Amino acid sequence: MELSRKWLKPRHCKVFAQIAVRENPDGRPNTHILVHCPPEALRRFKEQVRNVLDGACHGLNDKAVKFKHIGNGNPTLSAILGKLAYMGKGMDPEDAKEFGIACKPQGWIYAKRVSISQDIHHAARQRYAEGAEG
């Protein structure tokens, strides 16, 4: 997340927005990352991500990283909420019910399950709301 922020924010966006969710269904760990990347930077951003991961993982196979546009490139609110519901399927059942998300166990994770960039984290949203009121 930090490397994505350092690459995207100074070049292409004022607000860095990324959510990462780790899962371990059936003992196969994986991570879903939802990130806002302006269209003009997308090709270079994909190259950056692959290069960073290739170095960190000491090589990647062709199926290790998959990029997918939300709503097939048409990021409607409905498409975004659908992706968030999919990413939230491992949340606590009581919280999932409140948000109308169908949850199911996603396996054991031995570190942080969810990461949210500071620009859109709860404290930032609260600061923005307080500033908007005054």
Side-chain angles (χ1 to χ4, degrees):
M1 185 175 287
E2 182 66 11
L3 292 173
S4 293
R5 182 191 64 77
K6 284 182 177 180
W7 191 87
L8 270 173
K9 191 169 180 177
R11 292 171 178 85
H12 302 288
C13 53
K14 290 182 181 180
V15 174
F16 175 68
Q18 178 172 304
I19 300 170
V21 178
R22 297 176 63 221
E23 302 176 340
N24 190 14
D26 306 322
R28 295 177 297 176
N30 64 81
T31 303
H32 298 278
I33 300 172
L34 183 63
V35 61
H36 167 72
C37 179
E40 66 274 7
L42 188 57
R43 182 186 55 78
R44 290 176 299 172
F45 179 68
K46 287 179 179 182
E47 290 171 2
Q48 169 71 9
V49 168
R50 287 188 187 279
N51 289 338
V52 167
L53 291 176
D54 188 47
C57 299
H58 308 291
L60 294 174
N61 69 35
D62 290 343
K63 296 181 181 180
V65 179
K66 179 180 176 183
F67 292 94
K68 185 175 182 181
H69 292 263
I70 291 182
N72 295 319
N74 182 19
T76 63
L77 180 58
S78 176
I80 293 167
L81 292 175
K83 181 57 74 173
L84 285 171
Y86 175 77
M87 290 175 67
K89 67 186 179 291
M91 67 189 328
D92 178 87
E94 288 300 312
D95 294 332
K97 187 180 349 176
E98 181 179 336
F99 292 103
I101 294 174
C103 66
K104 57 184 181 179
Q106 294 301 302
W108 288 98
I109 296 294
Y110 295 100
K112 191 184 278 190
R113 183 177 291 272
V114 177
S115 297
I116 300 173
S117 60
Q118 291 181 2
D119 289 6
I120 60 171
H121 199 274
H122 175 73
R125 293 191 317 268
Q126 189 165 351
R127 279 192 308 272
Y128 175 80
E130 290 169 358
E133 293 170 2

